[in-house]
């Protein structure tokens, strides 16, 4: 079976689960995403366990009925098997498997006792591996009691049976065996109806894959091992997955914070699908700005697409504490009298990221393009600090509408504590890409060749007319700390050789045109004056 067939079959499974929800009145319900994502996760974990168990135990690999073979193992044999599997898969007992649920699906109280009970027990047995913590250290439960979302209790058993029936005839095991790299596609399909990059007080910010790939490729130029990667506003984890793939999943540990419970659950699923389960204990659901969980940690790589505008007036004054002065060195935005939701919270994220870098740390941050040229305020103070500390590696200004549902132009700031201050690269890619319609919105899409052009300009420090410049920190100071590539492009004036006769002909033509326009103007003035004299006062 090809990878395209696997993708097609997996998408069909997701559609089948959505169909079950729709048939039981939960289509487009607020709880539908929990049911779809958690049922999908349960199936994935079930098959991952079977796959890893078969690699270790020959009798399980050869058995026609894995369920029966696993049940016949002694307690000691099961303990040994689970210990050998370690954190490659969840710890599952025979009664946790989907085949066990299917075999008992006609039993009374199936939904509560078997289906929800199984998910509950898996959560408890694997809390150290898969639970997300809050800022206070409290662990969440991986699975909800899914059947309880059906308000009619008489339908719960049938609902749970319908979900199990969709799972039992599908298997992920061949996907693990073939090592197809398509789970990014599956994850995107899984969350496409539930993830948005606009609206809401704490929106789920989603970064296009092209931007994420560019950021990762520029940040990770050389092979590295044993590094810590951080995103203080992780969302569903697109940026983290891309940089982890660039580094190598076994060579890095992922750390993240996000205030959204939904985003944290998406990120957990994303980590599991991308062989990064070992980093799940490092996911924190909390407010990075007011209650940072990793304030004392320093990170080798940081990626972030923070929310640009957000009302943080409720805790704004708490950030003025002396303990935060070093962290927010450039200042904290004031609370406006109107439109509190326009407060520039991204400025706090930039400062937090600068504070969180290790001695050799590197970062890539998505910012509104207005940040790179602002003539005063916190924006300029941050830019001055990046230059004066020698941390600016470069900036890429992206095409407009690179994000489908926002018209805000964005740029990516690349920070490196070991930057070459004589060769800072500024790229203007605003003219790249083609516009496509995505739903009701227009979005600009970059080709892979255009992505490579941006990456090469940054990594090879290439200067290209009207596209990229390589400048020094001193030149940036001379331009009032502007990070806009366009302000450094050479202005070219083209001179054309003409004869004296051609010059005289052009001048004569200009004079004739001006004489005609002046005459026309005089005639218009005369008519206006005549019309004004005809006006008379009168009451209507």
């Amino acid at each position: 079976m090809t990878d395209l067939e696997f993708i097609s079959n997996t998408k069909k499974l997701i559609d089948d689960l959505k169909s079950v929800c729709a048939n039981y009145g939960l289509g487009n319900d607020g709880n539908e995403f929990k049911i779809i994502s958690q049922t999908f996760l349960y199936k994935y974990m079930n098959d991952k366990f079977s796959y890893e168990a078969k690699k270790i135990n020959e009798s399980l690999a050869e058995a026609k009925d894995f369920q029966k073979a696993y049940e016949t193992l002694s307690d000691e044999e099961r303990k040994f098997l689970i210990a050998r599997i370690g954190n490659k898969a969840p710890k599952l007992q025979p009664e946790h498997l989907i085949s066990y649920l299917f075999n008992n699906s006609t039993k009374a109280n199936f939904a509560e006792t078997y289906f929800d009970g199984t998910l509950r027990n898996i959560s408890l047995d694997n809390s150290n591996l898969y639970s997300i913590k809050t800022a206070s250290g409290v662990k969440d439960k991986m699975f909800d009691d899914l059947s309880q979302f059906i308000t009619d209790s008489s339908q719960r058993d049938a609902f749970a049976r319908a979900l199990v029936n969709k799972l039992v005839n599908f298997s992920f095991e061949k996907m693990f065996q073939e090592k197809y790299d398509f789970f990014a596609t599956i994850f995107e399909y899984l969350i496409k109806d539930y993830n948005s990059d606009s609206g809401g007080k704490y929106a789920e910010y989603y970064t296009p894959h092209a931007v994420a790939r560019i950021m990762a490729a520029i940040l990770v130029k050389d092979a590295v091992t044993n590094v810590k990667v951080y995103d203080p506003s992780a969302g569903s984890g697109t940026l983290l997955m891309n940089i982890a793939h660039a580094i190598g999943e076994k060579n890095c540990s992922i750390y993240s914070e996000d205030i959204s419970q939904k985003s944290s659950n998406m990120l957990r699923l994303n980590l599991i699908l991308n062989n990064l389960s070992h980093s799940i204990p490092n996911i924190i659901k909390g407010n990075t700005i007011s209650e940072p969980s990793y304030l004392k940690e320093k990170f080798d790589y940081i990626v972030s697409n923070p929310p640009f505008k957000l009302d943080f007036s409720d805790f704004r004054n708490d950030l003025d504490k002396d303990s935060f002065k070093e962290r927010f060195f450039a200042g904290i935005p004031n609370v406006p009298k109107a439109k509190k939701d326009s407060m520039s919270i991204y400025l706090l994220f930039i400062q937090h990221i600068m504070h969180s870098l290790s001695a050799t740390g590197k970062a890539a941050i998505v910012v509104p393009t207005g940040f790179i040229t602002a003539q005063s305020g916190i924006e300029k103070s941050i830019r001055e600090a990046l230059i004066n500390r020698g941390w600016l590696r470069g900036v890429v200004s992206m095409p407009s509408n690179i994000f489908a549902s926002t018209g805000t132009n964005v740029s990516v700031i690349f920070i490196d504590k070991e930057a070459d201050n004589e060769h800072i690269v500024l790229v203007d890619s605003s003219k790249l890409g083609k516009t496509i319609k995505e739903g009701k919105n227009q979005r600009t899409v970059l080709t892979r060749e255009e992505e490579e052009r941006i990456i090469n300009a940054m990594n090879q420090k290439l200067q290209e007319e009207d596209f990229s410049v390589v400048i020094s920190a001193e030149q940036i100071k001379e331009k009032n700390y502007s990070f806009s590539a366009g302000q450094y492009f050479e202005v070219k004036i083209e001179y054309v050789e003409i004869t004296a006769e051609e010059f005289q002909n052009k001048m004569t033509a200009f004079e004739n045109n001006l004489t005609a326009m002046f005459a026309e103007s005089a005639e218009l003035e005369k008519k206006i004056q005549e019309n004004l004299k005809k006006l008379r006062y009168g009451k209507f």
Side-chain angles (χ1 to χ4, degrees), residues 211-224 229-230 239 242-244 246-247 300-304 357 360-365 393-394 412-417 455 458-459:
V211 177
R213 284 192 296 267
I214 290 168
M215 291 168 68
I218 291 172
L219 278 181
V220 187
K221 296 193 299 178
D222 306 308
V224 292
V229 181
Y230 174 55
L239 291 177
N242 276 272
I243 192 169
I247 294 170
D300 303 295
Y301 294 91
I302 303 179
V303 287
S304 181
L357 285 170
T360 59
K362 300 168 177 58
I365 314 165
R393 180 181 164 195
V412 182
I413 307 289
F414 290 91
I415 300 172
D416 187 341
K417 283 199 173 181
I455 293 164
M458 284 293 299
N459 287 348

Side-chain angles (χ1 to χ4, degrees), residues 154-327:
S154 67
Q155 289 191 314
R156 289 172 183 166
D157 286 352
F159 173 69
R161 271 196 298 272
L163 291 175
V164 170
N165 288 340
K166 296 299 183 186
L167 302 179
V168 73
N169 293 318
F170 178 88
S171 176
F172 283 110
E173 288 190 47
K174 287 185 179 179
M175 299 184 192
F176 307 137
Q177 185 177 346
E178 297 296 333
K179 300 186 185 301
Y180 290 129
D181 183 20
F182 56 76
F183 278 112
T185 303
I186 294 303
F187 178 76
E188 195 166 316
Y189 188 80
L190 182 66
I191 70 170
K192 68 183 177 69
D193 294 329
Y194 313 105
N195 197 35
S196 169
D197 59 0
S198 66
K201 186 174 181 183
Y202 295 109
E204 320 301 332
Y205 288 84
Y206 178 79
T207 309
H209 282 292
V211 177
R213 284 192 296 267
I214 290 168
M215 291 168 68
I218 291 172
L219 278 181
V220 187
K221 296 193 299 178
D222 306 308
V224 292
T225 58
N226 195 31
V227 294
K228 295 196 293 186
V229 181
Y230 174 55
D231 188 338
S233 54
S236 57
T238 306
L239 291 177
L240 287 171
M241 296 309 104
N242 276 272
I243 192 169
H245 291 325
I247 294 170
E249 292 81 359
K250 294 180 180 180
N251 296 326
C252 63
S253 296
I254 300 295
Y255 295 78
S256 76
E257 295 179 86
D258 199 292
I259 200 167
S260 165
Q261 179 66 55
K262 186 170 80 169
S263 286
S264 298
N265 288 333
M266 286 182 181
L267 177 57
R268 168 168 50 199
L269 177 57
N270 216 355
L271 289 170
I272 291 172
L273 294 179
N274 285 277
N275 294 320
L276 288 159
S277 298
H278 61 276
S279 291
I280 291 175
N282 302 331
I283 300 174
I284 302 295
K285 189 197 83 66
N287 189 324
T288 307
I289 299 303
S290 65
E291 297 179 293
S293 294
Y294 294 120
L295 192 59
K296 295 182 180 179
E297 291 278 354
K298 299 297 179 183
F299 300 96
D300 303 295
Y301 294 91
I302 303 179
V303 287
S304 181
N305 175 21
F308 293 167
K309 306 287 185 181
L310 201 66
D311 177 7
F312 60 94
S313 58
D314 289 348
F315 58 86
R316 189 262 173 214
N317 291 339
D318 295 335
L319 304 178
D320 261 338
K321 297 175 183 174
D322 288 341
S323 58
F324 285 160
K325 292 293 184 186
E326 181 183 351
R327 181 181 174 217

Side-chain angles (χ1 to χ4, degrees), residues 520-533:
E520 185 180 353
S521 175
E523 185 63 28
L524 285 172
E525 288 174 8
K526 183 178 178 182
K527 287 182 179 179
I528 292 170
Q529 287 176 340
E530 289 173 353
N531 287 331
L532 284 173
K533 290 177 181 178

Side-chain angles (χ1 to χ4, degrees), residues 416-429:
D416 187 341
K417 283 199 173 181
E418 298 178 308
D420 174 3
N421 298 313
E422 295 301 314
H423 299 88
I424 297 168
V425 184
L426 304 182
V427 176
D428 180 3
S429 62

Side-chain angles (χ1 to χ4, degrees), residues 498-515:
I498 61 174
T499 65
E501 183 181 355
E502 288 172 328
F503 175 77
Q504 188 58 50
N505 289 338
K506 284 181 178 288
M507 293 303 294
T508 301
F510 291 149
E511 288 174 8
N512 291 338
N513 287 336
L514 283 172
T515 300

